[in-house]
Amino acid sequence: IHLAWYGGKSYIEAAKRAKAEAFAQVVDTEGGKGYYSHLITNKDNPIVAEAKAMGGDKYVIKNAGNLTFAFNDPNSTSGFLVPSYYVFAQNEVDPKKAFKRLIFSGSHEATALAIANNQVDVATNNNEALDRLQKTNPKARANIETIWTSTLIPSDPIAYRQDLPADLKQKIRDFFYNYKEAKVLKPHGWSGFAQADDKIWNPVRELDLAKKILELENKENMTAEDKQQLEEFRQQLNAIKSN
């Protein structure tokens, strides 16, 4: 593969393991270069009023033992990494142990439909996926209520292999930076693609490392290997923050 379109979490893995290099990111029709992770529930679920009053993240933590929950995919930024850190890791809660039932649905559409059809109580999603659902399945979208919203997540990167010839990289960049086909872009809520570089996704790296650090710090009976890994994660996090 020479060129790929990633989510933030999958991009940082590809950059680390497969020499992927981000060069562009999506820009929405209002000029935004980011999106938001959500916790969602069915609009008729009895938890809605209390969850919105308390804050969906706080409600989920307090009542996890009585709830069924769906993540998207372990490599999803908004469907796993962001809620894993902000909702669970920062509150020292292990979602694998906390919920009455926990599943991974595999996609944003699947988690949305699981909520719309009352198959789980709470699930992860993001505003872009919910906007798409409004167009493709408005009946399902009407059944979904958002109970928590994250901070802004950098929009998805487009990356090529680091070892591509420089002249080919330039042609690829020129194509994306000048692409303005409204009939292709507009249905997705995009206006085009902006220049970007690898550092834009450092906040995603920080989230990933911070989550791993918290998980190790909360682990009982850490082994020598765990302690060494914890120190390595801390060094990596400090290195990213200093850049």
Side-chain angles (χ1 to χ4, degrees):
I1 296 175
H2 298 97
L3 190 69
W5 193 321
Y6 293 102
K9 174 67 164 63
S10 55
Y11 167 67
I12 65 172
E13 292 297 328
K16 180 169 62 177
R17 300 179 185 182
K19 297 183 178 180
E21 179 184 351
F23 66 89
Q25 67 179 140
V26 178
V27 181
D28 66 30
T29 53
E30 297 179 355
K33 298 178 183 178
Y35 61 107
Y36 298 91
S37 174
H38 292 312
L39 294 182
I40 57 174
T41 190
N42 189 285
K43 70 177 181 63
D44 294 324
N45 193 310
I47 74 171
V48 170
E50 187 176 354
K52 294 187 80 170
M54 182 184 296
D57 53 341
K58 295 180 178 64
Y59 181 88
V60 166
I61 292 299
K62 182 179 178 181
N63 297 281
N66 299 317
L67 300 172
T68 54
F69 189 91
F71 281 117
N72 173 355
D73 178 274
N75 280 321
S76 172
T77 304
S78 59
F80 181 72
L81 179 60
V82 170
S84 288
Y85 178 66
Y86 284 113
V87 178
F88 300 112
Q90 284 195 328
N91 290 293
E92 300 182 0
V93 171
D94 183 350
K96 295 189 293 294
K97 299 176 181 178
F99 290 104
K100 182 167 65 175
R101 181 167 64 96
L102 173 68
I103 65 170
F104 285 84
S105 69
S107 72
H108 291 302
E109 182 181 14
T111 55
L113 293 178
I115 288 295
N117 295 322
N118 271 317
Q119 294 170 333
V120 292
D121 292 310
V122 181
T124 61
N125 218 278
N126 70 45
N127 62 298
E128 292 180 339
L130 293 178
D131 287 345
R132 287 194 296 271
L133 189 67
Q134 178 63 44
K135 297 173 183 176
T136 61
N137 193 339
K139 185 177 179 180
R141 178 65 184 90
N143 288 332
I144 296 171
E145 188 78 26
T146 297
I147 59 172
W148 175 80
T149 299
S150 73
T151 56
L152 187 71
I153 305 164
S155 62
D156 291 346
I158 302 170
Y160 41 42
R161 289 179 58 92
Q162 290 180 12
D163 58 2
L164 289 182
D167 60 336
L168 179 56
K169 285 183 177 181
Q170 186 62 56
K171 289 177 182 178
I172 293 170
R173 290 195 298 269
D174 288 344
F175 171 81
F176 278 94
Y177 299 160
N178 294 293
Y179 190 82
K180 301 297 179 185
E181 287 289 338
K183 64 182 179 181
V184 175
L185 296 168
K186 191 173 180 180
H188 298 285
W190 305 328
S191 63
F193 306 93
Q195 296 184 35
D197 61 37
D198 180 80
K199 289 183 180 180
I200 287 175
W201 289 274
N202 276 351
V204 179
R205 291 185 172 94
E206 290 181 29
L207 281 172
D208 189 41
L209 286 166
K211 176 178 172 291
K212 291 174 180 176
I213 289 168
L214 280 171
E215 287 175 347
L216 280 173
E217 287 176 339
N218 294 328
K219 186 176 180 180
E220 294 181 6
N221 303 317
M222 276 201 297
T223 65
E225 184 179 352
D226 289 333
K227 292 176 181 178
Q228 181 180 350
Q229 191 171 54
L230 178 60
E231 183 57 31
E232 289 174 358
F233 287 155
R234 286 171 173 164
Q235 290 176 4
Q236 291 173 29
L237 182 58
N238 289 334
I240 291 171
K241 288 181 175 180
S242 65
N243 285 339

